[in-house]
Amino acid sequence: MNNKIEGIEEILRKEILCHGAISLADYMKICLTHHKHGYYIRNNPIGVTGDFTTSPEISQMFGELIGLWIGQTWIDHGKPRKFSLVELGPGNGTLMADILRVTKRVEGLHSALDITLIEISPSLQEVQKEILKDFPVKWKAKIENLPKQTTIVIANEFFDALPIKQYRRKSGQWMEVMVTLKDLKNLTPKEFCFQLMKTDERILADLNIQEGCTVEISTVMRDIIYYLSNHIQENSGAALIIDYGKEGNVGNTLQAVSQHMYSNPLTSPGQKDLTSFVDFKAIKTFAEETGAVVPNLTNQGDFLRSLGIEQRAEKLSQGLTSSALKLHKSGLARLINKDAMGNLFKVLGIRNENSPPLIGLEI
Ligand code: SAH
């Protein structure tokens, strides 16, 4: 265990000592997805025994309603005889398993299905293989070369895990937030720290940002949105993105989570989840540049309510008693209440310009 921990710290230390401070995006990329020691590569972080819990792990209703959304979207696209269902970052595969259980009831849908999971972690791919063993599923580590057919994409808590760069306005100039080592003059500097470094003023020239403010930019997110929006424009289809975030990129939203608690992002690199708030305004802008249509951002509570989660909860509660009923009710509350995930989590749709309006978002 210790060797592995030293592994990623050593990689970062060497990189900084040889080449100087690294960008926050490079730090996040190495910590999260380094091919041997990265957080997602080594761990299964999701669930009660992991570092964080996601909506599909809270209640089966989440996946059931996303399944309903997919079923209706497929019907609204004229029930194509073949279509791609693509999930970005499927974690334990729970969401896809719940989706497939309910969509079985939509006549013709399963025989049209062509499932691709985009997952960078070989160990999580194994977990997904087990839970989805009854279905013909393909895996890719990166979103590319999707088949040229109608495509429905879903992503829950995927975009928050992508590397971001941060820039800060200081003394009228733009500085980039870099990661370096404290006490570099020391022979064996150990602790990581942030450092502001002058950056090309033009990068951020358009932003009218006040002194001291931070802005966040994810080029990885931009490239994924360009790819999937172009793909949807060329082949028809839609995407559903669910995550915590806001409309804009001003503010320092970097966070580290370990065992369900907030933590310091610069200590024990590779051992904790690093995330940031998703910039839904940027996603909308990039998607619209391809000609795709992006309806107004909705929150998770309103989205799930409009798909009928309360009726579904009522139905499911009929067969439950005592502690199971209590758990079921608290699961519903966590998913939709404003003071839980209902408002913090947002839902953004992207669709082909000629596609019909999306349920739960436009109708
Ligand atoms: N959607 C799941 C899991 C979210 S955690 C759920 O709701 O439970 C983020 C997921 O994205 C993990 O499966 C992680 O391994 C994967 N992931 C993170 N960065 C990735 C990247 N750059 N490319 C592909 N998958 C990535």
Side-chain angles (χ1 to χ4, degrees):
M1 182 77 179
N2 256 341
N3 283 343
K4 284 182 183 170
I5 297 164
E6 278 172 13
I8 206 142
E9 287 204 7
E10 214 35 57
I11 290 161
L12 288 163
R13 205 173 287 135
K14 266 196 201 141
E15 179 67 29
I16 294 169
L17 289 173
C18 295
H19 304 289
I22 56 173
S23 71
L24 176 60
D26 286 342
Y27 176 79
M28 289 178 79
K29 187 173 176 208
I30 295 170
C31 289
L32 294 175
T33 58
H34 179 273
H35 66 279
K36 215 160 153 198
H37 305 293
Y39 174 77
Y40 284 111
I41 311 301
R42 280 196 308 117
N43 292 302
N44 183 350
I46 308 151
V48 189
T49 55
D51 290 324
F52 58 92
T53 305
T54 56
S55 296
E57 307 291 332
I58 291 173
S59 167
Q60 67 183 70
M61 293 186 291
F62 183 80
E64 289 173 349
L65 290 158
I66 305 296
L68 185 141
W69 185 88
I70 291 166
Q72 189 60 51
T73 303
W74 175 71
I75 292 168
D76 290 343
H77 278 79
K79 300 186 180 176
R81 285 157 60 97
K82 267 274 162 268
F83 82 103
S84 298
L85 177 58
V86 179
E87 182 176 1
L88 309 181
N92 289 335
T94 311
L95 174 58
M96 187 53 80
D98 288 337
I99 287 168
L100 293 173
R101 197 181 59 252
V102 292
T103 49
K104 233 185 221 162
R105 300 191 200 165
V106 184
E107 208 190 320
L109 189 145
H110 273 216
S111 49
L113 256 185
D114 180 359
I115 307 167
T116 302
L117 302 184
I118 310 296
E119 174 57 69
I120 199 166
S121 164
S123 59
L124 284 174
Q125 281 192 12
E126 289 307 315
V127 175
Q128 295 152 17
K129 268 179 197 149
E130 178 55 30
I131 190 171
L132 299 168
K133 59 178 179 291
D134 296 335
F135 299 94
V137 176
K138 284 176 270 183
W139 276 265
K140 280 179 187 286
K142 240 180 118 180
I143 185 162
E144 58 189 4
N145 301 326
L146 291 177
K148 294 189 182 309
Q149 58 195 8
T150 302
T151 300
I152 299 180
V153 182
I154 51 163
N156 183 58
E157 287 207 46
F158 169 75
F159 284 95
D160 65 68
L162 299 180
I164 52 161
K165 284 188 167 217
Q166 282 189 337
Y167 299 91
R168 196 161 301 149
R169 193 84 181 146
K170 199 174 168 222
S171 311
Q173 284 198 326
W174 279 110
M175 314 288 276
E176 179 168 358
V177 179
M178 309 291 282
V179 176
T180 188
L181 285 158
K182 252 187 208 167
D183 303 324
L184 265 176
K185 287 194 197 88
N186 200 320
L187 259 185
T188 51
K190 283 198 167 63
E191 269 179 73
F192 296 97
C193 63
F194 290 118
Q195 181 188 32
L196 291 180
M197 212 181 250
K198 259 195 204 164
T199 187
D200 187 344
E201 186 83 16
R202 282 165 303 174
I203 302 176
L204 301 144
D206 300 349
L207 293 167
N208 185 17
I209 300 299
Q210 282 177 358
E211 179 73 14
C213 278
T214 303
V215 298
E216 298 178 334
I217 291 174
S218 174
T219 52
V220 184
M221 174 270 267
R222 181 197 59 201
D223 294 347
I224 293 173
I225 294 299
Y226 276 147
Y227 178 85
L228 72 85
S229 307
N230 270 318
H231 185 80
I232 285 169
Q233 273 297 87
E234 280 165 20
N235 300 281
S236 92
L240 188 69
I241 297 169
I242 306 174
D243 223 311
Y244 43 91
K246 54 193 170 70
E247 287 179 278
N249 66 353
V250 182
N252 175 3
T253 71
L254 176 70
Q255 61 187 35
V257 168
S258 177
Q259 292 171 353
H260 303 265
M261 308 258 280
Y262 291 112
S263 175
N264 181 343
L266 295 184
T267 56
S268 309
Q271 288 190 76
K272 37 183 109 163
D273 194 24
L274 298 175
T275 64
S276 69
F277 273 37
V278 173
D279 176 4
F280 284 103
K281 191 172 157 202
I283 295 187
K284 184 176 168 75
T285 305
F286 299 139
E288 284 177 346
E289 277 174 32
T290 69
V293 170
V294 182
N296 285 341
L297 191 66
T298 304
N299 68 47
Q300 176 165 301
D302 289 345
F303 176 71
L304 293 176
R305 269 195 207 90
S306 79
L307 294 180
I309 195 167
E310 284 158 323
Q311 291 81 346
R312 178 69 184 136
E314 182 55 36
K315 185 112 198 278
L316 282 174
S317 69
Q318 284 162 15
L320 300 173
T321 51
S322 59
S323 61
L325 183 60
K326 215 167 145 196
L327 195 69
H328 170 65
K329 283 189 171 160
S330 81
L332 175 69
R334 279 176 79 183
L335 290 181
I336 64 172
N337 280 5
K338 282 229 145 71
D339 56 359
M341 299 168 95
N343 196 35
L344 177 65
F345 278 69
K346 316 283 183 208
V347 184
L348 193 77
I350 299 174
R351 67 166 167 85
N352 180 291
E353 60 187 319
N354 300 317
S355 291
L358 300 171
I359 59 152
L361 298 172
E362 293 175 272
I363 47 169

